[in-house]
Amino acid sequence: MGFHQSKADPSLFINGNGMNFLAILVYVDDIFVSSPSISLIRELKTYLDDTFKIKDLSNHGYFLGIEAHMTSTCLNLCQHKFALDILIEAGFLDSKPVSTPMVSGHRLDKDGGEAVTDVASYRRLIVHLLYLTATRPEISFAVQQLSQFVDSPTNGHMSSTHRVLRYIKATPGQGIFYPQNGDMQLNVFSDSDWATCSTTRKSITSFCVFLDSALISWRSKKQATVSRSSSEAEYRALAAVVCEVQWLNYLLKDLQVELSRPTAVFCDNKSVVAIAENSVFHETTKHIEIDCHIIREKLTQGLVKLLSISSSNQVADGFTKALPTAQFHLFLSKLGIQDLHAPAYRGYWSMQHVEKLTKLRGSGVK
């Protein structure tokens, strides 16, 4: 039918342009189709059914465990049923809920108490929680920390995992909010926490990418090497961000989205911005791997624009550490998280929250 495979994502197949654009996303035997034209979708489904005998699930409502709730103004993605299934399997459906996934300032290490006898149950919980981060970015840091100990978990690690489950119990229907209209431009927040691992002294890379005010990509991951300074750790995190922005540019281009200006990358470390923009700082960066200097190359090409931001406005901060309750709730509001299954929020998020999120544009987060 004339489709070609996307070079950015081998699971994506695209065809046509404008009102005749068709996109197919394939995961094993599950297929998701999108197009501005409903007649093209029907034609494609007829062709696939004649060839493979498909089962048509109609409009997007439930796909690979992710629930989609769409209105004329917004889209919400959550994993309400999957979250409840995790709680039921772990026996935490009647547990006492908590307001944050981790205790503020709490650090996990390898020596966290006695070894867990049922290691398989710990690993199974971590696998479930990893998949839950597809729509629950706020638990990414907690899950990243806990996933380091799947080889030999202790009762302390299990206790921290149970706290994450109690947090999920408080908000099982929480998910990501996407407003329908917005400026098709990328805004990125990059952060790092230096040498926080007590065992390896490696740092945490974190970032979150917004398409206007809609969160589309995020990461909380331990760096592969040890950094000699906080600036070096931030610089490595920034290199990961630039690579992600380059990939997103390729992917958006395949989806017929053209970005008209460089991506704004916000960093709260002024020395890192100076290092990226000025090669005079060679003496302090000559030991850093060459691939990290992709930042300077992409700056020259106009792909990204580095902007300094205060630490209090750094959205990615919640991906590097466990925050106090008040800061954590502020972190949630900046990410664009909502709970459709909480009646008190249904009228609030559709108006008040959209207004807050649109302020991400420009020089920082309000």
Side-chain angles (χ1 to χ4, degrees):
M1 294 187 72
F3 282 85
H4 66 273
Q5 191 176 33
S6 166
K7 291 181 175 62
D9 188 340
S11 298
L12 176 65
F13 297 84
I14 51 181
N15 187 17
N17 54 68
M19 292 302 294
N20 294 321
F21 178 72
L22 262 171
I24 303 176
L25 197 62
V26 181
Y27 181 79
V28 191
D29 59 349
D30 292 295
I31 301 173
F32 186 79
V33 182
S34 181
S35 173
S37 172
I38 190 65
S39 61
L40 286 178
I41 293 178
R42 288 174 182 152
E43 181 183 340
L44 175 64
K45 289 194 294 187
T46 300
Y47 175 82
L48 292 175
D49 189 50
D50 291 341
T51 309
F52 301 107
K53 298 303 176 185
I54 63 171
K55 181 180 180 182
D56 186 3
L57 300 179
S58 189
N59 291 334
H60 186 191
Y62 192 80
F63 186 75
L64 299 177
I66 298 176
E67 304 165 41
H69 302 272
M70 184 177 290
T71 68
S72 58
T73 59
C74 65
L75 167 70
N76 175 274
L77 297 181
C78 69
Q79 292 167 283
H80 182 244
K81 181 181 181 299
F82 183 67
L84 291 177
D85 289 342
I86 295 174
L87 295 174
I88 292 171
E89 181 180 332
F92 272 71
L93 195 60
D94 296 322
S95 62
K96 183 180 179 181
V98 292
S99 57
T100 60
M102 287 188 75
V103 177
S104 174
H106 182 54
R107 300 286 185 183
L108 296 175
D109 54 44
K110 202 168 185 64
D111 301 321
E114 297 180 3
V116 172
T117 54
D118 188 4
V119 177
S121 65
Y122 181 85
R123 292 173 180 170
R124 188 163 55 250
L125 275 175
I126 297 302
V127 169
H128 291 334
L129 292 175
L130 280 169
Y131 190 62
L132 193 60
T133 59
T135 60
R136 302 290 297 266
E138 80 276 17
I139 67 172
S140 295
F141 174 72
V143 176
Q144 180 272 327
Q145 290 287 291
L146 293 167
S147 63
Q148 300 177 86
F149 310 106
V150 291
D151 57 335
S152 54
T154 65
N155 54 9
H157 304 143
M158 184 63 84
S159 178
S160 296
T161 306
H162 290 166
R163 182 181 174 88
V164 178
L165 295 178
R166 290 168 59 201
Y167 168 73
I168 294 169
K169 165 65 191 305
T171 55
Q174 202 150 267
I176 308 177
F177 174 84
Y178 295 103
Q180 184 184 43
N181 298 315
D183 186 16
M184 288 297 179
Q185 291 298 323
L186 294 176
N187 298 298
V188 186
F189 296 84
S190 172
D191 198 15
S192 176
D193 208 6
W194 179 45
T196 52
C197 179
S198 59
T199 305
T200 64
R201 308 311 296 176
K202 292 180 180 178
S203 308
I204 298 290
T205 285
S206 75
F207 63 76
C208 49
V209 184
F210 295 84
L211 186 61
D212 191 47
S213 60
L215 181 65
I216 60 171
S217 179
W218 58 90
R219 182 178 301 171
S220 178
K221 185 177 181 179
K222 184 189 288 187
Q223 294 181 359
T225 57
V226 177
S227 297
R228 296 176 62 190
S229 66
S230 60
S231 294
E232 181 181 336
E234 294 264 13
Y235 194 67
R236 293 183 188 279
L238 204 57
V241 167
V242 170
C243 291
E244 183 76 2
V245 170
Q246 180 68 83
W247 174 75
L248 286 170
N249 271 259
Y250 293 146
L251 185 61
L252 289 170
K253 189 173 183 180
D254 284 340
L255 295 173
Q256 310 289 302
V257 177
E258 293 288 345
L259 303 179
S260 60
R261 60 177 182 265
T263 297
V265 179
F266 297 96
C267 177
D268 59 6
N269 190 316
K270 292 183 179 180
S271 64
V272 171
V273 176
I275 290 170
E277 293 179 339
N278 193 340
S279 57
V280 170
F281 292 90
H282 174 70
E283 187 64 29
T284 58
T285 61
K286 62 184 180 182
H287 65 285
I288 301 177
E289 287 85 348
I290 294 297
D291 61 349
C292 287
H293 296 300
I294 189 176
I295 304 169
R296 292 174 183 167
E297 179 184 335
K298 298 306 176 182
L299 273 171
T300 304
Q301 293 175 359
L303 177 73
V304 297
K305 180 180 180 181
L306 296 183
L307 297 171
S308 182
I309 192 175
S310 65
S311 297
S312 60
N313 286 331
Q314 178 56 269
V315 183
D317 194 43
F319 293 110
T320 62
K321 61 177 71 72
L323 300 174
T325 302
Q327 291 183 30
F328 181 76
H329 289 157
L330 181 61
F331 172 60
L332 284 180
S333 71
K334 290 177 180 179
L335 291 182
I337 304 295
Q338 69 170 190
D339 189 350
L340 285 183
H341 299 271
Y345 289 104
R346 284 178 183 166
Y348 173 78
W349 290 108
S350 59
M351 296 176 290
Q352 305 281 349
H353 197 55
V354 173
E355 187 177 343
K356 280 186 178 181
L357 290 176
T358 53
K359 293 180 181 178
L360 281 166
R361 277 183 249 161
S363 60
V365 181
K366 305 286 180 162

